[in-house]
Amino acid sequence: AARQNIESNLKVLEENHILSKKEAAAIAEQIKMTIDLKEAVQDADFIQECGPESYEIKWDILRQIEAYADENTVIASSTSGLFITEEAKYMQHPERLVGGHPYNPPHLLPLVEIVKGEKSTETATQKAYDIYAALNKEPVIVQKEVSGFIANRIQVAVFREVIDLIQKGVCTMEDADKAMLYGPGLRWGLLGPMTVLH
C-alpha cells in the first residue's frame, strides 16, 4: 500500500509538470522498503515516525526504535495533536524526540511544524529543522506545546468565525468561501498574516 501511494503521488507530480519522468523515477529508486524495524532504523541519523495518533501505539513504536537506533539519532514524531512530552514519557533518551508534523498532503504542501517537548534539545530541534529545509520544506518551530500547534489553530480560528457569520445570517457558505478564496486567501498565499498586518 505504501509503495502504491508513493507511485500514485509521484504520478500526480509528474502529470502536473512538477517533476519530470526522470526525476520521479530517481526518487522512486532511492526509496527502500522493509518491514524489519531494526533494518529500517539501525543506521539512521534521522527517523520520521508516522504511527497512528495514540499514545499507547507511539510509546510502543518509540520503545522499539530505541532498541535499535543509535542514541544520537533524532526522532521526529508525526503527530497533529499529541504532546511530545507525553510521547517521550517512557523513552531512554527523550531529549532526541521532537514533533515533526508535515502539513497534509505532505508531497504538495511545504509546511512542517517542529514541536519541542519539555526535554527536546536545541541540537535535536536544529537537526530536524536542517533536514526538513534540505528537503525543500518550510519548517517552523513550535517553541511550546499547545493543542493544534500553529497552522491548525489559525485555521480553526478562521473556521469558527466563518461558522459564526453563517449562523448570524451575514452570508451564505458559498459567499464565505468566495470571500476567503478571492481576498485574504490569495494575499496569504504570498504574505503571512503578520506581514499583511504590518
Side-chain angles (χ1 to χ4, degrees), residues 130-175:
D130 293 343
I131 286 172
Y132 292 129
L135 295 170
N136 295 320
K137 293 295 190 179
E138 287 293 336
V140 297
I141 298 175
V142 182
Q143 300 284 349
K144 188 176 182 180
E145 292 178 292
V146 61
S147 294
F149 311 144
I150 300 170
N152 282 339
R153 287 180 74 93
I154 294 169
Q155 187 171 259
V156 167
V158 171
F159 187 60
R160 278 194 314 261
E161 187 60 29
V162 169
I163 294 291
D164 186 58
L165 289 168
I166 294 166
Q167 286 181 335
K168 288 179 177 171
V170 174
C171 61
T172 64
M173 285 188 289
E174 293 78 12
D175 282 347

